[in-house]
Amino acid sequence: MADLSRDCGVAERTLNGHFRMFLGMSPLRYLRQLRLAAVRDALLSGNRDATVTECARRYGFNHAGRFAEQYRQQFGEPPSATLRRAQAAAHLHCPQIEKGERRGPPPAIWSREKPTIAVLLGAAQTNEPSLRWFAEALAEAVAADLSSIRSLAVLLPRAALAGTGDPQRLARESGARYVLAGRIVKDGTRLRFILRVAEAASGHHVWGDSFDGDTERPLALLDRILRGLRRGIVPSIRGAEIDRASRRAPRDLDAYGLAMRALPLLYSSTQEGARRALESLDRAVEIDPDYGLAAALAAWGHGQLVMYNASSVPAEERDRSSRLARRAAVLDDDDPLALTARCAVHMMLGELDVARTLVSRALARDPTCGWAWGRSARRKCAMAVSASP
């Protein structure tokens, strides 16, 4: 604390006070929560050789009994239960394979990180080998376009770009949760590109579409595919993430999973939905205090309680919503969902100009965000009402 105080140029007492005001806890408690979260990530890796003691000591917990109690208070279960469940899941999804084959890594851990999609169009199947150049160009263009979407992480494996390897296997080895693969069919000068998005681990179909063009105008077909992908992939993957989080027990979810679980409850725009969403979001903020999306969604949850007169202390609820929105602005000022949630909060506060800026930024980052379009329409209605005599 003395070093931080010197680097920040403020008194240690002032630093402590403002830290508590911003994050609702002391710096030492915050650091302990980060270390506990790191231990949980290590336990959830599903490593057969991992032990609770080894993972705890790796992050500075040398007193086994005290660590176990702190872990239980933080996550609602003993660390040994987390490790057993992760190892069982890894064994279920990664069965032993024949001797001599290369064994891939365990499936991607359900983490705070945004979903990852592997673009494997370079390995697209085709009845015309001369079209391989188009598949490779499409893979690079799609990866570049999807990379601009804040809610997705994009991988472009080199083997897939070279048109080699099985797409499903490449996706699993790269650690991607979703895979985008395709097939090109040629009939004379006519081309048809069939695309599908599936879960890498299970092969479950998430989204698919086909696009027609001709060999004389390949760029027109490329542009049409990119527009279709942007419209279809993001909402489909977000829906799959919400469905996946809803099927899992809350104790098995981290901050990202809890935020996805809360999202449809906030969309419902009801008192009961807001209260249930806040149960998940309060837990998410407790697990990961610097997760901006969870803070932004929690801000809107408290804002809904104000809007629906569902709080006995509306002034305190309004102040809590405003504080969380300001905190989210510092923690994550780029996620479209976080920007839209903050827009909703500022509309509740009557700050329509701020709301307009936020929703415009959200739509610029993700034009497929239906929630942002809905908020934009509500803001315009509110502006019209406020301007009327």
Side-chain angles (χ1 to χ4, degrees):
M1 283 298 296
D3 293 338
L4 290 174
S5 176
R6 182 179 64 253
D7 292 342
C8 296
V10 296
E12 187 171 330
R13 182 176 179 181
T14 302
L15 182 60
N16 254 305
H18 282 78
F19 195 98
R20 286 179 178 274
M21 184 184 302
F22 186 74
L23 287 173
M25 65 185 74
S26 69
L28 286 177
R29 182 185 170 194
Y30 176 80
L31 178 60
R32 184 172 65 247
Q33 289 193 181
L34 290 181
R35 290 161 56 213
L36 286 169
V39 174
R40 185 172 177 83
D41 285 343
L43 295 175
L44 285 172
S45 67
N47 188 343
R48 293 175 181 272
D49 299 325
T51 66
V52 171
T53 301
E54 175 194 355
C55 294
R57 286 180 176 172
R58 189 186 311 166
Y59 294 99
F61 294 100
N62 297 315
H63 192 291
R66 189 178 300 125
F67 160 73
E69 181 59 29
Q70 292 173 348
Y71 188 96
R72 185 193 297 271
Q73 291 177 358
Q74 182 73 13
F75 301 110
E77 64 178 1
S80 57
T82 303
L83 181 61
R84 283 196 304 270
R85 188 172 64 256
Q87 290 176 339
H91 177 73
L92 177 65
H93 293 293
C94 297
Q96 294 288 342
I97 60 179
E98 296 180 6
K99 187 176 181 180
E101 292 186 16
R102 183 179 184 275
R103 180 169 182 171
I109 298 303
W110 190 250
S111 68
R112 166 186 166 182
E113 296 300 321
K114 53 192 174 183
T116 303
I117 182 169
V119 179
L120 305 178
L121 299 178
Q125 299 176 359
T126 175
N127 63 345
E128 182 61 55
S130 64
L131 291 176
R132 183 66 62 192
W133 67 271
F134 185 76
E136 295 176 5
L138 179 62
E140 293 182 341
V142 167
D145 188 67
L146 293 181
S147 296
S148 65
I149 299 176
R150 179 66 169 77
S151 55
L152 279 179
V154 182
L155 293 176
L156 185 60
R158 185 174 303 173
L161 189 59
T164 61
D166 173 63
Q168 210 74 15
R169 181 180 61 81
L170 287 172
R172 289 194 297 267
E173 290 183 352
S174 64
R177 189 174 299 166
Y178 299 95
V179 52
L180 171 62
R183 181 184 184 90
I184 307 175
V185 180
K186 181 182 179 184
D187 183 12
T189 62
R190 185 182 177 192
L191 289 176
R192 172 167 293 175
F193 211 111
I194 305 169
L195 300 177
R196 68 185 294 265
V197 174
E199 292 184 355
S202 65
H204 176 72
H205 187 88
V206 174
W207 173 87
D209 205 346
S210 61
F211 303 88
D212 290 357
D214 59 73
T215 56
E216 296 180 358
R217 301 187 61 197
L219 292 182
L221 174 58
L222 180 61
D223 291 341
R224 190 155 60 250
I225 291 174
L226 292 178
R227 289 195 298 270
L229 284 173
R230 183 177 278 267
R231 286 196 303 268
I233 284 182
V234 179
S236 298
I237 288 182
R238 184 173 297 140
E241 293 288 284
I242 291 173
D243 182 61
R244 188 174 181 179
S246 299
R247 294 197 308 266
R248 296 170 68 97
R251 71 169 183 271
D252 294 335
L253 298 174
D254 67 354
Y256 172 80
L258 290 166
M260 292 297 101
R261 190 181 182 91
L263 203 53
L265 297 171
L266 293 174
Y267 287 164
S268 68
S269 298
T270 62
Q271 294 184 23
E272 179 62 22
R275 294 188 188 281
R276 289 177 57 195
L278 284 172
E279 291 177 5
S280 293
L281 293 168
D282 289 345
R283 180 70 173 153
V285 172
E286 180 183 353
I287 291 174
D288 192 348
D290 59 350
Y291 187 26
L293 177 59
L297 294 178
W300 177 224
H302 289 290
Q304 286 188 345
L305 295 182
V306 175
M307 296 289 290
Y308 305 145
N309 296 317
S311 174
S312 58
V313 283
E316 292 182 12
E317 207 75 55
R318 183 188 298 267
D319 182 60
R320 188 178 297 115
S321 176
S322 178
R323 274 203 324 271
L324 283 168
R326 292 197 303 271
R327 177 172 158 188
V330 175
L331 296 175
D332 191 339
D333 201 32
D334 202 35
D335 187 287
L337 291 178
L339 290 169
T340 305
R342 289 169 51 207
C343 163
V345 171
H346 285 285
M347 285 183 63
M348 180 270 296
L349 296 173
E351 300 169 350
L352 299 183
D353 289 339
V354 178
R356 177 182 59 188
T357 300
L358 292 172
V359 77
S360 297
R361 288 172 53 198
L363 289 172
R365 283 158 176 75
D366 183 4
T368 68
C369 185
W371 188 23
W373 283 111
R375 276 289 135 193
S376 179
R378 289 193 181 199
R379 186 202 62 79
K380 290 179 181 179
C381 290
M383 290 287 288
V385 170
S386 63
S388 60

